[in-house]
Amino acid sequence: MLSLRLWFSSLATHNTLSCSSRRSLFLVPHQILNNNTLISNTSKILSCCYEKPIKQNGIFSVASDLQSSSFSSSFPKDSPFSGLEDALVSYLFGKKRATDIAHMVWKHVVQKGDTVIDATCGNGFDTLAMLNLVADDSHNGCVYALDIQKDALDNTSLLLEESLNPNEKQLVKLFNICHSKMENAVPRNASFRLVAFNLGYLPGGDKEIITRSKTTLLALEAAKRILMPGGLISIVVYVGHPGGREELEVVESFAGRLCVENWICCKLQMLNRPCAPIPIFLFKR
Ligand SMILES: C[S@@+](CC[C@H](N)C(=O)[O-])C[C@H]1O[C@@H](n2cnc3c(N)ncnc32)[C@H](O)[C@@H]1O
């Protein structure tokens, strides 16, 4: 019998994910932790258990369970948490990528009509995911997409052209700029619901052009200044390339200094895959 219990709790200096050997899985977002009435109800809603996972080649196969109707999400379809539970469980069992988890967490925070920042737009996949979250029927919402490389902006522009209609594409503002200077690209006094970083190098591009600890830290500080309460700084860190581990340390140290009264900081790390991408979420209360 495989079982896990997860708590999404508030910490500024330690991982927020802990497991114990119980039969149920509970995912408890912070809003619910703040509300004792909800906690008992939601624990019932969120709990699920797995019967007989099949072990093949050393990997527990739960994909069929995850896809079967017996494992449909416990949330109603219109719930803001809908999909989050399945995505997180799929990630835990190696069936989803760090970026999928990031997108799912954004979905939980971002609202139609919001203004958000993609601080490393690269090939445009994150930008497109953000645009789909913010764009409403009246074409409100805005994504500021930044990258230091012209090639990345070209790739993003092409993807947006292929995927969006001209009105939607107009909601994305592209800037060939270092993210440490993000405040120069966005309107003065604007505040943002999401600032997302997908660090490292451009997939399929020049691996020498990577995010650097020093400018990443400056960019995180800028993001902190312009994030609205209820907003999220989302970071996916890659440690497999030179400088990646140092960059992770800088991000962790930045997150660790954020005061616990105002911030909830969470890191998801694969313990036996030392080079796996690491999603980090800094939620401003
Ligand atoms: C992992 S890729 C981003 C992937 C992208 N979000 C996507 O969905 O395809 C990292 C990107 O960060 C960009 N980058 C590196 N240093 C940067 C900086 N200082 N400011 C902004 N972008 C930077 C790189 O050019 C690269 O395109």
Side-chain angles (χ1 to χ4, degrees):
M1 186 69 68
L2 180 67
S3 55
L4 285 170
R5 173 182 277 208
L6 303 181
W7 291 103
F8 196 114
S9 60
S10 55
L11 283 180
T13 53
H14 302 289
N15 293 1
T16 57
L17 203 58
S18 63
C19 301
S20 70
S21 57
R22 298 286 296 267
R23 287 186 52 186
S24 307
L25 183 146
F26 298 107
L27 179 68
V28 186
H30 78 283
Q31 288 94 335
I32 291 166
L33 284 173
N34 290 340
N35 183 329
N36 291 340
T37 320
L38 268 172
I39 217 169
S40 56
N41 294 337
T42 311
S43 294
K44 277 180 226 147
I45 294 168
L46 293 177
S47 66
C48 57
C49 66
Y50 312 110
E51 301 289 332
K52 295 184 188 146
I54 304 156
K55 198 176 178 192
Q56 285 176 327
N57 303 326
I59 298 171
F60 281 108
S61 167
V62 291
S64 56
D65 297 353
L66 298 177
Q67 282 154 10
S68 75
S69 57
S70 66
F71 191 84
S72 60
S73 173
S74 318
F75 299 108
K77 280 212 165 50
D78 58 352
S79 160
F81 304 117
S82 176
L84 190 53
E85 178 188 6
D86 288 359
L88 187 52
V89 172
S90 301
Y91 177 71
L92 294 178
F93 291 101
K95 303 291 176 192
K96 285 254 189 247
R97 297 168 306 166
T99 47
D100 297 326
I101 290 298
H103 290 187
M104 196 50 77
V105 173
W106 301 350
K107 198 174 160 188
H108 169 53
V109 172
V110 174
Q111 297 170 19
K112 293 286 179 202
D114 275 351
T115 307
V116 299
I117 298 178
D118 183 349
T120 52
C121 68
N123 290 321
F125 297 108
D126 292 326
T127 306
L128 181 60
M130 285 182 204
L131 195 273
N132 285 328
L133 293 178
V134 300
D136 67 14
D137 294 340
S138 319
H139 301 298
N140 293 313
C142 184
V143 182
Y144 288 85
L146 323 178
D147 205 290
I148 204 164
Q149 278 191 78
K150 171 91 171 44
D151 281 358
L153 294 167
D154 290 345
N155 293 353
T156 297
S157 188
L158 194 64
L159 180 72
L160 298 178
E161 212 128 276
E162 288 166 0
S163 318
L164 303 172
N165 67 43
N167 286 336
E168 290 169 327
K169 199 186 169 215
Q170 277 195 353
L171 302 177
V172 180
K173 318 283 178 212
L174 296 170
F175 290 89
N176 191 183
I177 190 174
C178 171
H179 43 217
S180 62
K181 307 253 190 299
M182 64 176 75
E183 285 158 304
N184 297 346
V186 301
R188 206 177 250 263
N189 299 328
S191 63
F192 297 83
R193 185 93 62 187
L194 171 69
V195 183
F197 297 81
N198 191 341
L199 300 175
Y201 55 82
L202 178 68
D206 184 346
K207 293 189 177 173
E208 298 294 314
I209 306 176
I210 53 170
T211 52
R212 307 270 172 192
S213 302
K214 195 173 159 201
T215 40
T216 300
L217 178 59
L218 291 172
L220 287 170
E221 282 163 355
K224 182 186 164 196
R225 284 191 291 273
I226 60 179
L227 197 74
M228 63 168 65
L232 179 77
I233 301 176
S234 166
I235 311 141
V236 178
V237 189
Y238 299 82
V239 290
H241 60 270
R245 291 228 169 257
E246 184 202 329
E247 195 171 32
L248 173 64
E249 278 169 27
V250 164
V251 173
E252 286 182 347
S253 153
F254 171 83
R257 290 192 303 274
L258 295 174
C259 75
V260 74
E261 288 78 21
N262 295 335
W263 293 86
I264 299 170
C265 303
C266 173
K267 172 176 87 167
L268 296 175
Q269 189 162 21
M270 296 283 175
L271 295 175
N272 62 347
R273 281 183 57 213
C275 288
I278 299 166
I280 295 179
F281 302 105
L282 316 179
F283 179 77
K284 186 174 179 181
R285 295 174 195 267

